[in-house]
């Protein structure tokens, strides 16, 4: 143990003596280790970002979708099935259940006249199940059913057509037809991409049904339940069986998962991304290690006299080997820690992460896996780049110091 600590002290002293040489040789290692750490960390953020994007389309993992249809295509009594679903779901005690009806068209009063606008009606839990993101405002609340002016959420394109009245001024929108009346705009959904000019209105399900006798014939309704991945395999079959019990003849109930985690190969793209970027970072790290080995070998030729003198004063082969070996190991480890620290400081900034992944909601903490991978990589590089020069140092003899 004493010999190891002595070799470690010699290595650190050598690093302090040759600061400039060590600094120049380890800049590449610090950058390479930092790049590798950043790749692993960014892949974790990318995984979360992709999961959230998928949640917006198919619901969080695991979301069960229930839909009813008739074999002959005739409309199903929505109220009757709604009562059936409510009775069954109460036995399970679901915490996140949402009805959503699509295929509706509302007549919206715009400054340039009345325009037909597609609409959806939904329960408040829909926004949480689908991680709906807003440009401004808020989503529906359970208490909104008691509002005198029912709330609506509109798209940014429709907001533009209405004059982009700030939400703090409580803008309203007027509908004609069966659901006609004045509604208060409480939220704005952002454009999904360049050129997105979709006009759409989202309404609270119960508020809409309070104004109409029945859903339009062209509308279709489904029920979404967020149950979590640890329960879905047990709940889904029982739920389907309970809903089908006593179902009117000619009707069919479909119960399936819509979330991304249920799709085969859902994580293949993420794994490919991590392999490609990780391979590039590993290649950069390998090139840095080769350059460090080259620098260490050149430096070893200049240290023949030093090592010969140390051997003359009784330094053992093991002491010489480990002092040279640990010199590289300590230096690369320190460089790796510096590179990791810089990456951690940068990626812990919420602004940086949201700039790279626009719209991410639940930013995960900096993954320890990334820091551990970077630290292990720096230690391995230090061991490899120090082993060869240490073998060369073993071959130095006392007479070599005199000849040199």
């Amino acid at each position: 143990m004493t010999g190891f600590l002595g070799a470690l002290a010699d290595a650190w002293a050598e690093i302090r003596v040759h600061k400039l040489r060590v600094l120049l040789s380890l800049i590449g290692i610090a950058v390479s280790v930092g790049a590798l750490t950043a790749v692993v960390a960014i892949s974790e953020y990318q995984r979360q970002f992709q999961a959230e994007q998928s949640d917006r389309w198919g619901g969080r993992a695991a979301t069960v979708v229930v839909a009813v249809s008739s074999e002959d295509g005739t409309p199903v009594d929505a109220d009757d099935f709604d009562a059936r679903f409510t009775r069954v779901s109460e036995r399970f005690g679901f915490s996140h259940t949402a009805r959503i009806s699509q295929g509706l068209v509302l007549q919206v009063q715009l400054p340039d006249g009345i325009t037909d606008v597609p609409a959806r009606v939904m329960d408040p839990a829909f926004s949480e199940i689908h991680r709906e993101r807003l440009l401004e405002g808020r989503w529906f609340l359970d208490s909104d059913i008691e509002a005198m002016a029912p709330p609506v959420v509109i798209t940014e394109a429709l907001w533009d057509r209405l004059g982009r009245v700030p939400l703090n001024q409580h803008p309203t929108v007027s509908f004609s037809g069966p659901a006609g009346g004045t509604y208060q705009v409480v939220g704005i959904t952002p454009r999904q991409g360049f050129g997105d000019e979709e006009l759409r209105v989202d309404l609270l399900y119960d508020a809409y049904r309070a104004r109409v006798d029945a859903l339009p014939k062209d509308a279709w309704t489904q029920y979404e339940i967020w149950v979590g991945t640890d329960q879905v395999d047990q709940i889904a079959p029982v739920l389907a069986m309970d809903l089908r019990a006593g179902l009117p003849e000619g009707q069919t109930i479909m119960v399936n998962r819509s979330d991304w985690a249920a799709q085969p190969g859902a994580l293949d793209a993420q794994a490919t991304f991590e392999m490609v970027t990780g391979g590039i970072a590993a290649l950069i790290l390998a090139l840095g290690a080769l350059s460090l080995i080259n620098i260490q070998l050149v430096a070893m030729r200049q240290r023949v006299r030093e090592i010969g003198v140390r051997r003359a004063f009784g330094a053992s082969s093991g002491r010489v080997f480990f002092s040279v070996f640990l010199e590289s190991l300590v230096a690369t480890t320190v460089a790796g820690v510096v590179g990791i620290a810089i990456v951690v400081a940068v990626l812990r900034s919420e602004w940086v992460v949201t700039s790279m992944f626009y719209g991410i909601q639940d930013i995960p903490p900096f993954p320890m896996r990334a820091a551990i991978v970077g630290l292990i990589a720096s230690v391995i590089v230090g061991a490899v780049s120090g082993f060869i020069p240490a073998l060369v140092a073993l071959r130095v003899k006392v007479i070599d110091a005199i000849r040199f």
Side-chain angles (χ1 to χ4, degrees):
M1 187 63 180
T2 303
F4 174 79
L5 294 177
L8 187 62
D10 292 342
W12 181 248
E14 188 64 31
I15 292 174
R16 295 179 59 188
V17 170
H18 302 283
K19 295 178 181 178
L20 181 60
R21 174 177 62 81
V22 172
L23 177 63
L24 294 176
S25 63
L26 294 179
I27 287 178
I29 298 298
V31 172
S32 302
V33 172
L36 182 61
T37 304
V39 164
V40 177
I42 290 175
S43 68
E44 293 291 335
Y45 295 130
Q46 175 73 13
R47 187 188 303 275
Q48 176 66 20
F49 178 71
Q50 286 187 345
E52 291 186 6
Q53 292 295 99
S54 300
D55 289 348
R56 293 189 178 103
W57 292 103
R60 298 178 187 243
T63 297
V64 176
V65 175
V66 177
V68 60
S69 61
S70 60
E71 297 177 355
D72 56 4
T74 58
V76 175
D77 188 335
D79 293 334
D80 179 70
F81 184 77
D82 186 70
R84 172 186 294 272
F85 180 84
T86 301
R87 289 195 304 269
V88 172
S89 61
E90 286 177 351
R91 294 201 294 268
F92 290 90
F94 296 130
S95 59
H96 295 80
T97 302
R99 296 165 295 181
I100 173 172
S101 294
Q102 304 184 68
L104 292 78
V105 177
L106 298 179
Q107 294 178 328
V108 181
Q109 180 67 56
L110 299 178
D112 54 355
I114 296 178
T115 303
D116 290 340
V117 175
R120 303 183 302 182
V121 295
M122 62 187 65
D123 287 324
F126 176 85
S127 61
E128 187 171 358
I129 294 174
H130 287 267
R131 291 183 180 270
E132 291 286 353
R133 180 170 54 91
L134 293 179
L135 179 67
E136 289 190 23
R138 64 171 177 84
W139 275 99
F140 303 122
L141 304 174
D142 291 330
S143 59
D144 286 336
I145 188 62
E146 302 175 1
M148 297 296 295
V152 295
V153 176
I154 63 176
T155 59
E156 185 178 0
L158 182 56
W159 191 35
D160 290 339
R161 296 280 295 274
L162 293 172
R164 295 185 76 94
V165 180
L167 296 187
N168 57 13
Q169 297 182 14
H170 308 291
T172 59
V173 59
S174 298
F175 301 151
S176 302
T182 300
Y183 293 73
Q184 181 180 346
V185 179
V186 297
I188 310 296
T189 57
R191 286 184 169 88
Q192 300 302 311
F194 179 76
D196 179 13
E197 297 298 328
E198 180 187 13
L199 304 181
R200 193 186 69 236
V201 176
D202 294 331
L203 299 89
L204 194 60
Y205 189 96
D206 289 331
Y208 175 80
R209 288 305 314 273
R211 296 199 172 196
V212 299
D213 296 331
L215 292 173
K217 294 182 179 180
D218 295 334
W220 68 92
T221 303
Q222 65 182 26
Y223 296 75
E224 297 184 344
I225 312 160
W226 179 26
V227 297
T229 55
D230 56 336
Q231 302 179 29
V232 63
D233 292 336
Q234 292 77 30
I235 289 179
V238 179
L239 175 64
M241 182 176 62
D242 288 355
L243 288 172
R244 289 168 182 152
L247 191 69
E249 186 177 355
Q251 292 186 5
T252 302
I253 289 181
M254 293 169 289
V255 178
N256 51 57
R257 289 178 60 178
S258 63
D259 58 284
W260 60 271
Q263 307 300 320
L267 298 178
D268 288 350
Q270 173 63 27
T272 301
F273 169 81
E274 188 170 345
M275 288 178 59
V276 172
T277 53
I280 295 174
L283 179 61
I284 296 174
L285 190 63
L287 294 176
L290 290 175
S291 64
L292 182 60
I293 291 174
N294 185 47
I295 292 174
Q296 291 287 73
L297 289 176
V298 172
M300 192 55 58
R301 292 180 59 86
Q302 300 174 357
R303 296 175 59 188
V304 171
R305 184 184 298 278
E306 170 199 338
I307 295 175
V309 170
R310 290 173 62 184
R311 295 295 296 272
F313 278 88
S316 64
S317 299
R319 180 69 173 266
V320 171
F321 177 86
F322 278 106
S323 63
V324 176
F325 177 77
L326 290 177
E327 177 184 337
S328 177
L329 185 62
V330 171
T332 55
T333 301
V334 171
V337 170
V338 171
I340 294 171
I342 293 175
V343 171
V344 171
V346 171
L347 292 184
R348 287 190 65 181
S349 170
E350 183 175 334
W351 178 83
V352 173
V353 177
T354 54
S355 298
M356 290 189 296
F357 305 104
Y358 176 73
I360 189 171
Q361 293 179 340
D362 299 334
I363 301 177
F366 187 88
M368 287 301 299
R369 181 171 72 96
I372 293 174
V373 168
L375 184 61
I376 292 176
S378 63
V379 171
I380 292 176
V381 169
V384 172
S385 60
F387 183 75
I388 297 177
L391 288 179
V392 174
L394 279 180
R395 301 176 61 182
V396 175
K397 299 180 177 58
V398 176
I399 192 64
D400 292 334
I402 301 175
R403 292 173 179 174
F404 195 85

